[in-house]
Amino acid sequence: MSDPQCRVGPRGLRRGAALTLVFAGVLATGAATGALPHGQKRPPVHARSVAATADGDEVAAAAADAVADGKSGTEAAEEVVSRSGDRWGAVYDEREYQEFEQALDGTYTGVGLAARRSADGRVAVSRVQPGSPADRAGIRSGDLLRTVDGRRVDRLPVSDVVALLRGDRTGAKAGSTVRLGVRRGAVTRTETLRRARLAVESVTVRRIGAERSGPSGAVLIEVASFTKGSGAAVRDAVRDAPAGAGVLLDLRGNPGGLVDEAVAAASAFLDGGLIATYDVHGEQRALYARAGGDTERPVVVLVDGGTMSAAELVTGALQDRGRAVAVGSRTFGKGSVQMPSRLAGGSVAELTVGHYRTPAGHGVEGRGITPDLAVSSRAQERAETVLGGLGGGS
């Protein structure tokens, strides 16, 4: 789990929708069809339209009344959302929403570390972003994080450790400092890092299997989240792959992101056709792949319980269209659509307005996607074997 994307605690589960199914243009049709109330201003981000629902009206009214009384509009709106039963509804203050939008644009404030729980239960560094504050301080993959600003983190959830690194609870900005206790082997040292605005490395590409199957091998494309530019990165990776090489598309732990980017990623493997259907306030709509994708190269999609929302959209499209074999464990099951509305006081509410289905008509919300080959361990090894069996060179 890396520091660009995490929220903390039970409230953070709803706010995890910040990097899930977010439409960056396909819902802008609301303005053209009269779905927006007269005079309502849209948040100036990603051309996303404002929801005009009864729940939305109640949330907006609560925030406006609170601000008029000199109280917090954000807290009043949060109370209404928490009572509404909207599992993915969330309210952000101005700073939080700005961070959310920057994350979707592919940037975040942090130190450039990804962390995971090690086999013995400790918090280990799983990846260091090149050129980041952590990289410049000499922190390396495999180092153990013992303390953050003097607080022991061994027993904390990794999401809480990531939040401390980012300074989520204190509203830390780029330039603020964080003190890490880092252990390598028998040596523990303290490093003081200055947080920076960093670019999200949402897509990484590497060759696998070439030593077993000749020069073509296979290509592993790992997509951490569907932030701005990730769809083009997937398309470029597929286009640049050696002739005859299969693709292992790793969507494990991918919490979703911008639907436009997910559509672009799926389009890399399709030549037009349906990707998903969805509804907004009961109105049925559809998403279609772009023409010209690679329809010949073998593809295996690797998924797990952390594969969410837009990542499930990609998985469902490629699986239902017979374009890929899905390997791993059942995905998370977030198939809901959120739309934002600006509230009095500057906060923003994101409320659920609909759900999407895969090309075969399967609902994802609360169900997830069942892989074609269910495996609980050594998933990547099994996926590579499947890809080899499909003639993908792994």
Side-chain angles (χ1 to χ4, degrees):
M1 184 174 292
S2 57
D3 50 0
Q5 302 155 2
C6 298
R7 302 288 179 183
V8 184
R11 183 168 175 251
L13 180 60
R14 291 199 311 273
R15 290 178 175 232
L19 278 175
T20 50
L21 191 57
V22 179
F23 279 61
V26 294
L27 295 185
T29 53
T33 59
L36 303 181
H38 178 69
Q40 178 71 57
K41 293 183 178 180
R42 289 186 297 257
V45 286
H46 300 302
R48 296 184 301 172
S49 59
V50 177
T53 67
D55 286 343
D57 291 342
E58 183 182 359
V59 172
D65 290 345
V67 170
D69 291 340
K71 300 177 182 178
S72 169
T74 302
E75 292 180 1
E78 286 177 340
E79 183 176 348
V80 174
V81 171
S82 68
R83 294 198 310 262
S84 72
D86 186 345
R87 182 185 183 191
W88 298 110
V91 180
Y92 304 88
D93 63 30
E94 286 186 279
R95 183 193 64 81
E96 290 173 328
Y97 200 68
Q98 183 181 40
E99 284 288 322
F100 161 35
E101 292 301 327
Q102 288 173 337
L104 288 175
D105 274 339
T107 64
Y108 70 101
T109 297
V111 297
L113 289 182
R116 59 175 174 80
R117 184 70 61 185
S118 65
D120 58 3
R122 293 180 289 183
V123 179
V125 176
S126 59
R127 183 176 57 82
V128 178
Q129 185 169 333
S132 66
D135 184 34
R136 293 194 297 270
I139 297 175
R140 298 291 177 260
S141 177
D143 289 350
L144 300 177
L145 293 179
R146 305 303 301 278
T147 62
V148 176
D149 283 335
R151 180 179 179 181
R152 289 293 297 268
V153 298
D154 302 63
R155 297 183 181 276
L156 290 180
V158 173
S159 59
D160 285 14
V161 178
V162 168
L164 291 173
L165 292 172
R166 285 174 48 99
D168 280 350
R169 293 179 178 176
T170 60
K173 298 181 179 179
S176 62
T177 59
V178 58
R179 192 173 69 258
L180 306 185
V182 182
R183 182 171 182 176
R184 183 181 300 167
V187 178
T188 299
R189 70 186 193 279
T190 299
E191 296 284 352
T192 298
L193 308 183
R194 193 172 296 277
R195 296 182 180 95
R197 176 60 59 181
L198 301 171
V200 175
E201 293 184 318
S202 61
V203 179
T204 56
V205 183
R206 62 186 176 89
R207 296 280 300 281
I208 56 174
E211 69 282 358
R212 297 193 301 273
S213 55
S216 63
V219 175
L220 173 64
I221 304 175
E222 298 175 273
V223 186
S225 60
F226 287 105
T227 53
K228 187 175 181 179
S230 59
V234 172
R235 179 198 62 207
D236 291 345
V238 174
R239 181 195 61 201
D240 296 340
V247 170
L248 179 57
L249 183 64
D250 190 349
L251 301 182
R252 291 176 297 178
N254 183 319
L258 296 166
V259 166
D260 280 358
E261 299 297 334
V263 169
S267 298
F269 306 98
L270 298 168
D271 186 14
L274 186 65
I275 285 182
T277 58
Y278 63 98
D279 62 278
V280 176
H281 306 313
E283 180 183 345
Q284 299 300 309
R285 305 180 188 181
L287 296 169
Y288 294 96
R290 302 165 189 172
D294 187 325
T295 60
E296 301 297 327
R297 197 183 297 275
V299 183
V300 170
V301 181
L302 195 53
V303 297
D304 65 6
T307 303
M308 297 175 64
S309 195
E312 292 176 287
L313 184 152
V314 173
T315 304
L318 297 182
Q319 185 186 52
D320 282 4
R321 297 278 303 273
R323 189 61 192 89
V325 175
V327 175
S329 53
R330 183 185 293 271
T331 63
F332 183 86
K334 183 184 183 297
S336 57
V337 179
Q338 279 73 46
M339 295 171 69
S341 58
R342 185 76 64 179
L343 305 177
S347 57
V348 175
E350 291 249 351
L351 305 175
T352 300
V353 296
H355 298 85
Y356 76 83
R357 293 180 177 273
T358 69
H362 302 303
V364 175
E365 180 68 23
R367 299 182 180 90
I369 293 174
T370 302
D372 299 294
L373 175 62
V375 296
S376 57
S377 62
R378 301 169 66 181
Q380 182 170 328
E381 182 179 329
R382 297 289 298 277
E384 291 183 29
T385 299
V386 172
L387 188 59
L390 296 173
S394 182

